[in-house]
Amino acid sequence: MKDRFAALRQKMVETQIVSRGIEDPRLLEILRRLPRHLYVPEDRWEEAYQDEPLAIGEGQTISQPYIVAYMTEVLKLGGGERVLEVGTGSGYQTAVLAEMAAEVFSVELIEKLSRRARETLTGLGYENIRFRVGDGSRGWPECAPYDGIIVTAAAEQVPSALPSQLKDGGRLILPVGTGAQDLVLIVRRGEDFLRSELLPVRFVPLVSVH
Ligand code: SAH
């Protein structure tokens, strides 16, 4: 069974990720190695390596493999960074970040998902992830600044608290929009925030809590 998933994983990386232009060798090695099926319900293990998002319960989804790869590559992680993730969800993107960077701070609104992801990731031996239950659109100011921030749910606008939690030179990637969404990259240069639109996407909404 182990070999079967390993084979599906190699195929996933070649046909969905390398073929679409992802090049970072550290990232590709990590994607070839991480057991993505362990982050979805057991009755969906067979589908975990397919080219699509998948339901993980609570009305939420694990992002499509290519989107995880794309958003991670855009952050340009070299290994020493501190990264904030908004939307822990299944914890799969969290694991990719924990392998790519030094420390990950991951915020999830739904307690049950946060708890489940924490159990999975702790069980797999990760010790460089901090979890928080709450509204990630406020960021995690107590632990700022971050080299990278990734949001895996779509906001109507860039949440105003996030860019200011970047270090100088830091990068924020997030889906923005209601029906049609775009992945937006914001790069901090001193007090300037350079914005570019990268790719049309479809994410679950970032829930705003008042
Ligand atoms: N990266 C995750 C994506 C999960 S889907 C994965 O691939 O598994 C997006 C997640 O964002 C959901 O778990 C949802 O509950 C969470 N979310 C939505 N609004 C949020 C908010 N305001 N703060 C924190 N998490 C939020």
Side-chain angles (χ1 to χ4, degrees), residues 1-13 49:
M1 206 55 176
K2 188 163 180 278
D3 285 341
R4 172 166 161 62
F5 288 121
L8 288 174
R9 203 147 59 228
Q10 304 314 310
K11 190 166 164 235
M12 171 191 89
V13 173
Y49 298 94

Side-chain angles (χ1 to χ4, degrees), residues 45-167:
W45 278 9
E46 291 294 320
E47 296 158 75
Y49 298 94
Q50 292 177 6
D51 193 12
E52 59 195 15
L54 216 59
I56 56 169
E58 312 300 312
Q60 305 303 325
T61 54
I62 180 173
S63 300
Q64 181 188 1
Y66 171 64
I67 294 296
V68 172
Y70 184 90
M71 292 178 84
T72 307
E73 188 171 64
V74 163
L75 291 177
K76 295 190 189 292
L77 301 170
E81 295 83 2
R82 293 156 48 82
V83 179
L84 172 66
E85 177 187 41
V86 176
T88 314
S90 66
Y92 175 69
Q93 171 81 71
T94 322
V96 173
L97 295 169
E99 298 268 354
M100 290 291 292
E103 261 186 296
V104 181
F105 300 81
S106 190
V107 188
E108 168 59 52
L109 193 59
I110 301 177
E111 198 197 340
K112 196 169 161 191
L113 291 179
S114 180
R115 201 179 337 117
R116 198 193 295 153
R118 184 198 291 248
E119 278 167 17
T120 306
L121 290 160
T122 306
L124 289 166
Y126 289 99
E127 294 180 343
N128 60 339
I129 304 167
R130 286 179 62 188
F131 299 87
R132 184 179 202 174
V133 176
D135 179 8
S137 64
R138 295 164 196 199
W140 189 333
E142 298 83 359
C143 297
Y146 304 99
D147 302 279
I149 302 179
I150 178 170
V151 184
T152 60
E156 279 176 42
Q157 317 251 316
V158 178
S160 60
L162 296 181
S164 61
Q165 291 179 32
L166 287 173
K167 283 185 196 169

